[in-house]
Amino acid sequence: WYQRRVHKQWYQRRVHKQWYQRRVHGDISTMSSQHQIKTKSGLIINPIESIQDLLSGTSFQEDRVAQEHLSSLGDSFYEISRTAEGQVMLGAMEGLVEQIKTEDAFKDAVKVCFRLSKQMTSNTWVQFGIFIGLFGLLVALLGQFGNSAAFGGGSVGLMKSVGMAIVSSALMPPSQGVKQAVGSFMGGREDFFEN
C-alpha cells in the first residue's frame, strides 16, 4: 500500500512538472482542460497528455504535425467518452488496469484496447482516435494506481516503446498520408508492437 502511494505521489509530481515546463515554453502539445475526462472512480485524467508525457524526449515530441493530429484525435476521444457507451468503456478500463501486474498483462491490455476500438465503428480514423485515447488512459491509470511499479523497472520503457510503435506507424508516416497510414495501422494486427 505504501509503495503504491509513494509511486502515485511521484507520478503526480512528474506530470505537474512536465505540464509546467510545456506551459512555460509554449509547446504546441500543451492541452487545455477540454481533453480531461473523469473516470468512474473520480480521477480526472487527460489521456492524450499522458501519451505526450510518455513520449517526451523522442522524435514525436518535435513533430508538430503529429502533435496536431494527436490533439484532433483527443477531441474525438473526449466526445466519445462523454456518451453512455464511453462511460461504460471508462469503467471497464479502470477494472482492466487493476488486473495488470505483469508486462504480459500490459501487452494483453493494449490488445484489448485495439480490439475494443475496432468494434465501436467502421471509420478507421475514429477507431484510431478511440485506440489512442484508450492507450493514453491505460498509461495514465497505471500511473495513478501504481500498477506500473508492480511489474518492474522496465515498465516505462515498455510503455514508451509501445507508444512509439503506435505514433510512428500511424501519425509519423514517412511516405504516405496520415489518413492512409492510420487506415493501414487499424487494418493491421493487434500485436503490432511485438516482433
Side-chain angles (χ1 to χ4, degrees), residues 108-129:
D108 289 342
V110 173
K111 292 174 187 177
V112 168
C113 293
F114 191 81
R115 288 181 206 148
L116 182 60
S117 64
K118 288 182 78 163
Q119 290 177 355
M120 298 206 56
T121 181
S122 61
N123 181 319
T124 55
W125 184 254
V126 176
Q127 285 176 352
F128 185 71

Side-chain angles (χ1 to χ4, degrees), residues 71-126:
S71 179
S72 170
L73 291 164
D75 293 340
S76 299
F77 184 74
Y78 174 74
E79 290 302 318
I80 291 167
S81 72
R82 295 176 63 200
T83 66
E85 294 85 2
Q87 288 298 307
V88 170
M89 183 175 59
L90 294 177
M93 285 300 295
E94 281 188 281
L96 178 65
V97 167
E98 290 174 0
Q99 302 305 313
I100 297 174
K101 306 283 188 236
T102 64
E103 287 186 10
D104 287 337
F106 172 75
K107 291 175 183 179
D108 289 342
V110 173
K111 292 174 187 177
V112 168
C113 293
F114 191 81
R115 288 181 206 148
L116 182 60
S117 64
K118 288 182 78 163
Q119 290 177 355
M120 298 206 56
T121 181
S122 61
N123 181 319
T124 55
W125 184 254
V126 176

Side-chain angles (χ1 to χ4, degrees), residues 11-81:
Y11 179 78
Q12 288 171 336
R13 283 193 305 269
R14 189 183 112 230
V15 168
H16 179 71
K17 180 181 175 187
Q18 290 172 342
W19 173 84
Y20 178 75
Q21 288 173 339
R22 282 196 316 273
R23 185 62 108 188
V24 168
H25 298 298
D27 190 335
I28 192 170
S29 66
T30 302
M31 295 285 181
S32 68
S33 62
Q34 72 180 359
H35 291 126
Q36 291 182 341
I37 57 174
K38 188 172 185 176
T39 65
K40 193 172 186 174
S41 65
L43 294 173
I44 297 186
I45 293 178
N46 185 329
I48 302 303
E49 192 171 273
S50 169
I51 292 171
Q52 290 172 324
D53 290 342
L54 180 68
L55 300 180
S56 65
T58 66
S59 58
F60 173 73
Q61 184 180 16
E62 305 302 321
D63 191 328
R64 289 193 174 281
V65 174
Q67 291 284 335
E68 289 170 2
H69 287 302
L70 186 62
S71 179
S72 170
L73 291 164
D75 293 340
S76 299
F77 184 74
Y78 174 74
E79 290 302 318
I80 291 167
S81 72

